[in-house]
Amino acid sequence: MENGKKKFASILSYGLIVMTVTHTLTHVFGGIHPAIFSILREEFSLSLQQLGIIAAIPPLLQALFAIPIGLLSDRVGSKKMVLLSLLVAMLGAILASQTTSPLMFIVAISLVYLNTTIYHPASYSFTAKIFNDENRPKALGLHGAGGTLGHAMGPLSVSILIGLLAWEWRQVYLLLAAPLLIGVIMVLFLKEEISENGGEEEPTVEVETGAKSILSLNMIMFLTYSALRMMAGSMISNFIVLYLQDVKHLNIAAASFIFSGTMLLGFIAAPVGGFMAVRFGEKKWILASFSLGCLLFATSIFIKDVTIFAILYIGYGFCNTLGMAARSSIMARLSPSGQRGLGYALFFLPGSIMGAVAPVLAGLVAEAFGFTTIFYISLGIYTIALLILKFMVKID
């Protein structure tokens, strides 16, 4: 019982609170630009293909910097990297608030996206380090809840501030930059790389079985699954607000609210998913939740009623987030303990690469065949990802 109390107390540790809050702050800007695509299209006279390119450039830069930043994170430590990420986010948000051209806007959102590339390896490796195998999925679920809340706040801010209060989109970026100062202060009081479960962190699989290349066959297959999953998700998310406006004839407030709803409920789904992953096992839980999400998404494609579509789409997003902690925990298992920064850089690398490819592809498809075709293609990619996880990824 005494050990159990110690483990429970570690879940409420200051380190995890800091990582959860800063995770929210680093992601608040990511969902803004897809939510204002209709405004950008009109203001800068852009085509769907050009919007796709704008969406693709920041993830491309993320992909280029991911490995160097992961290696740097293992070398300099989490605290310094998290501080750096918050400062880069602040710079990007302020620049976005002063944008006068598409090029300037691309530079601004590239900085905002680069912030998360700096942040993720440091924060996830920190969280994975201070919790043992039993508590790690729970902790990563709480950590992930902060990120999903941040993802939701961007489009939700667009819905309320632009759609309802008629703010100018540049003002939204400036407003959301201010809370980053809170994150900086919190990180300054963080103790660097100290195990908060009494130094009794359980060894990972790699420590028990000896040295192993970080790019094992298992790791490669897991990253392949992640890449396909991220590609399909990115194709959908970058154009869902435009789809709701152009096809379902919703205004920007309603469309952005639905977009934010898929992530807002993730604030609940992420920690719940972490606890369920402990109970059922990471891989089984991902297969179950992801399969249900695909089923809801497939059903939504054939629904004409916008209310039912919204419910199914939000349910799909909820199920996707249920597996977040399990995916993060699997990466901790597959990464040697001394290379977790690099491991998590690799974990997010497929999302960056596919985030660069998917919007361009989706823009071309939407321009030629309509938005609905994007959904069909994404569903097929999701199915392949599920099969790879089921039959080609082995988790002890």
Side-chain angles (χ1 to χ4, degrees):
M1 290 294 294
E2 187 175 351
N3 288 338
K5 290 181 180 178
K6 287 182 180 179
K7 290 176 182 177
F8 178 75
S10 68
I11 292 292
L12 302 178
S13 68
Y14 180 72
L16 182 57
I17 292 172
V18 171
M19 292 303 157
T20 302
V21 172
T22 54
H23 203 188
T24 300
L25 297 175
T26 58
H27 278 298
V28 293
F29 307 101
I32 296 178
H33 70 276
I36 61 172
F37 266 176
S38 61
I39 300 175
L40 296 175
R41 179 173 58 180
E42 181 177 349
E43 181 173 336
F44 297 121
S45 301
L46 301 172
S47 67
L48 291 179
Q49 292 181 30
Q50 289 171 325
L51 289 172
I53 292 172
I54 288 176
I57 291 175
L60 178 61
L61 293 177
Q62 283 184 309
L64 293 175
F65 283 98
I67 300 302
I69 287 175
L71 292 169
L72 185 62
S73 178
D74 286 326
R75 181 177 292 271
V76 306
S78 298
K79 182 175 179 178
K80 294 177 182 176
M81 296 299 287
V82 172
L83 279 173
L84 177 61
S85 76
L86 294 172
L87 295 175
V88 170
M90 195 178 303
L91 176 61
I94 293 173
L95 186 61
S97 72
Q98 305 302 313
T99 291
T100 57
S101 68
L103 180 60
M104 188 175 178
F105 183 70
I106 289 171
V107 173
I109 62 173
S110 293
L111 287 172
V112 166
Y113 269 61
L114 187 60
N115 132 65
T116 63
T117 304
I118 299 169
Y119 176 83
H120 280 143
S123 65
Y124 273 88
S125 60
F126 181 94
T127 303
K129 179 177 180 179
I130 65 176
F131 294 97
N132 58 26
D133 286 345
E134 179 182 353
N135 282 330
R136 189 175 294 128
K138 302 174 186 176
L140 289 169
L142 293 170
H143 182 201
T148 58
L149 179 61
H151 275 297
M153 287 177 65
L156 187 61
S157 298
V158 171
S159 177
I160 296 173
L161 299 178
I162 298 178
L164 298 180
L165 302 181
W167 279 35
E168 208 266 341
W169 62 266
R170 293 169 179 85
Q171 295 175 300
V172 177
Y173 277 101
L174 190 59
L175 175 68
L176 294 179
L180 291 168
L181 292 173
I182 298 174
V184 170
I185 294 171
M186 292 182 71
V187 174
L188 288 175
F189 288 94
L190 182 68
K191 292 182 179 180
E192 178 74 73
E193 308 295 341
I194 294 178
S195 176
E196 300 190 24
N197 60 3
E200 298 176 357
E201 183 180 1
E202 294 180 8
T204 61
V205 174
E206 284 68 30
V207 174
E208 293 172 351
T209 58
K212 182 187 294 185
S213 168
I214 194 169
L215 284 178
S216 62
L217 179 60
N218 240 5
M219 172 73 84
I220 292 171
M221 292 288 67
F222 183 66
L223 292 176
T224 301
Y225 147 78
S226 298
L228 292 171
R229 179 174 181 149
M230 295 295 184
M231 181 177 184
S234 182
M235 289 180 68
I236 298 164
S237 63
N238 275 293
F239 286 95
I240 187 64
V241 174
L242 266 182
Y243 167 79
L244 290 170
Q245 290 180 274
D246 289 2
V247 178
K248 298 295 186 181
H249 307 296
L250 298 179
N251 59 34
I252 191 171
S256 299
F257 182 77
I258 292 172
F259 182 36
S260 68
T262 63
M263 295 165 284
L264 192 59
L265 287 180
F267 184 69
I268 300 171
V272 168
F275 281 81
M276 298 300 281
V278 171
R279 181 172 181 179
F280 296 106
E282 292 100 332
K283 181 177 173 179
K284 289 182 180 179
W285 179 243
I286 294 174
L287 288 170
S289 58
F290 188 24
S291 297
L292 178 58
C294 289
L295 179 61
L296 292 174
F297 176 66
T299 305
S300 74
I301 296 176
F302 303 100
I303 298 298
K304 293 184 178 180
D305 183 85
V306 68
T307 302
I308 299 177
F309 174 88
I311 292 172
L312 291 171
Y313 184 78
I314 290 172
Y316 143 77
F318 183 86
C319 290
N320 266 353
T321 309
L322 281 173
M324 178 185 293
R327 298 194 300 272
S328 303
S329 183
I330 287 174
M331 179 53 67
R333 288 179 175 271
L334 296 177
S335 304
S337 58
Q339 294 180 285
R340 288 242 171 88
L342 177 58
Y344 279 110
L346 289 170
F347 179 55
F348 289 100
L349 180 59
S352 299
I353 295 173
M354 294 306 173
V357 173
V360 177
L361 177 60
L364 290 170
V365 170
E367 198 85 63
F369 305 105
F371 289 107
T372 307
T373 308
I374 298 174
F375 294 167
Y376 293 128
I377 295 173
S378 298
L379 185 61
I381 296 172
Y382 272 151
T383 302
I384 296 172
L386 267 171
L387 293 173
I388 290 175
L389 178 64
K390 170 67 176 178
F391 297 107
M392 303 185 74
V393 178
K394 308 297 181 183
I395 305 298
D396 296 331

